[in-house]
Amino acid sequence: MKTRITEILGIEYPIIQGGMAWVATYELAAAVSEAGGLGIIGAGGAPASFVREQIQKAKALTDKPFGVNIMLMNPEADAIAQVVVDEGVKVVTTGAGNPAKYMEMWKAAGVRVIPVVASVALAKLMERGGADAVIAEGTESGGHIGSTTTMALVPQVVDAVSIPVIAAGGIADGRGFAAAFMLGAEGVQIGTRFVVATECIVHEKYKAMLIKAKDIDSAVTGMSTGHPVRSIRNKMTKEYLKLEKDGAELMELEKLTLGSLRKAVVEGDVVNGTIMAGQIAGLVKKEQPCKEIIDEIMSQGIELLNKTF
Ligand code: TUI
């Protein structure tokens, strides 16, 4: 299957793995790239030195292209922006902000730049700034989210820009893949389904929570702070939402989430930790190798796209 996304990125299938903080390590990224998609190392809140090591470890596992996601609220974002250039990383995706200030340096180094956007306005701004594509991410996603749904956001972004659009949020199988293409997307970004991949290093209790989750089992915390985050409902989200309802101070709220993603991912604390996941978690039923996930999505997706009524 050829789209502008497979061409620009030099990959076999137009499936990009979400650059999830703590979750998307070199093991997952290399496995996705080896399977023909685009693996992404999620820099999250990590220091630049850690990101450099992750890139070097991914290079040892695959000769295929992979990318790095830079979470722009990371205090070391400037240094990480330089690391990707130094290490010759082919693709950068960005989240949680506007990457305009790095665009010139990345373009000069031949890095493909694909910002994640949650609005038409930011998509247009990114196109003007030289982005190679955009990821239009709907509110169904896990982690830090915007407010528009994938179904509404993707076609509006597709109409507003000429660069290719990758759909994200609520996509986990061939049906979601086909739907995204019907909306005009030329690729998909998938997060939640890859969290339960065999090669994904998250704690087994984190995977079990996703496999157990139903359609309505996520909650959005942080609405009041301007940084909404979707995760699986647990003791932490209940306490957070109660504090928010009672008008708690930012400091008090942050005490609950400081280091909480690490707690869930690394320690398997699914009670007090943050189990970031999208609304599609209810569709994710078992642990599987990345290759199997990608092959399944592609065969089901292509079959649906070829079907005529
Ligand atoms: O970035 C994401 N998802 C994330 S980042 C993350 S790490 C984190 N951990 C704890 C609290 C907060 C973050 C977990 N999940 N997705 C891409 C995305 N970007 N969604 C929405 C946006 C976005 C939001 C505001 C992009 C730009 C923006 O503002 C643009 C501007 O002009 O500043």
Side-chain angles (χ1 to χ4, degrees), residues 19-22 43-45 69-74 94-99 115-119 122 125-126 135 137-138 141-147 189 221 226-230 257 260-261 274 276:
M20 303 163 284
W22 284 102
N69 174 268
I70 307 183
M71 205 276 284
L72 295 165
M73 293 193 294
N74 183 326
T94 63
N98 182 344
V116 177
V117 300
S119 69
L122 190 60
L125 195 65
M126 293 300 101
I135 299 169
E137 191 183 272
S141 303
H144 182 61
I145 50 171
S147 54
Q189 177 182 268
T221 53
H227 297 293
V229 169
R230 182 182 305 283
T257 51
S260 65
L261 180 58
T274 300
M276 289 188 190

Side-chain angles (χ1 to χ4, degrees), residues 29-97:
V32 169
S33 288
E34 276 294 297
L38 186 78
I40 303 270
I41 293 167
S49 56
F50 178 82
V51 178
R52 190 187 295 276
E53 282 167 30
Q54 289 277 311
I55 295 167
Q56 290 170 351
K57 288 174 174 166
K59 282 182 194 163
L61 292 182
T62 184
D63 291 327
K64 301 203 169 151
F66 64 87
V68 171
N69 174 268
I70 307 183
M71 205 276 284
L72 295 165
M73 293 193 294
N74 183 326
E76 291 202 25
D78 288 359
I80 298 167
Q82 184 62 51
V83 163
V84 298
V85 170
D86 297 345
E87 293 292 329
V89 170
K90 299 280 184 294
V91 188
V92 168
T93 64
T94 63

Side-chain angles (χ1 to χ4, degrees), residues 228-285:
V229 169
R230 182 182 305 283
S231 57
I232 301 289
R233 214 183 287 281
N234 64 358
K235 176 160 163 270
M236 189 287 292
T237 65
K238 282 196 188 97
E239 282 175 9
Y240 195 107
L241 290 171
K242 167 130 198 354
L243 282 174
E244 269 190 304
K245 200 164 152 226
D246 297 345
E249 298 283 321
L250 187 62
M251 287 290 279
E252 210 182 331
L253 292 170
E254 285 191 342
K255 261 194 257 165
L256 272 184
T257 51
L258 184 71
S260 65
L261 180 58
R262 187 192 159 281
K263 229 188 263 176
V265 170
V266 180
E267 294 167 22
D269 182 349
V270 294
V271 176
N272 303 299
T274 300
I275 312 151
M276 289 188 190
Q279 289 183 324
I280 202 72
L283 209 84
V284 169
K285 293 279 182 270

Side-chain angles (χ1 to χ4, degrees), residues 173-234:
D173 66 8
R175 292 170 296 178
F177 179 95
F181 278 74
M182 298 308 280
L183 297 175
E186 293 178 62
V188 296
Q189 177 182 268
I190 292 179
T192 302
R193 179 123 186 229
F194 284 121
V195 178
V196 302
T198 315
E199 297 89 344
C200 180
I201 54 75
V202 303
H203 198 281
E204 62 184 73
K205 286 188 182 164
Y206 197 116
K207 289 186 185 179
M209 284 295 282
L210 293 207
I211 288 166
K212 198 175 72 184
K214 295 187 296 296
D215 53 348
I216 54 169
D217 286 347
S218 76
V220 179
T221 53
M223 281 295 199
S224 64
T225 69
H227 297 293
V229 169
R230 182 182 305 283
S231 57
I232 301 289
R233 214 183 287 281
N234 64 358

Side-chain angles (χ1 to χ4, degrees), residues 98 115-129 134-138 146-163 165:
N98 182 344
V116 177
V117 300
S119 69
V120 166
L122 190 60
K124 285 166 123 173
L125 195 65
M126 293 300 101
E127 179 177 48
R128 276 204 299 280
V134 288
I135 299 169
E137 191 183 272
S147 54
T148 307
T149 61
T150 303
M151 179 75 94
L153 180 67
V154 172
Q156 295 188 72
V157 171
V158 166
D159 283 352
V161 299
S162 316
I163 52 176
V165 175

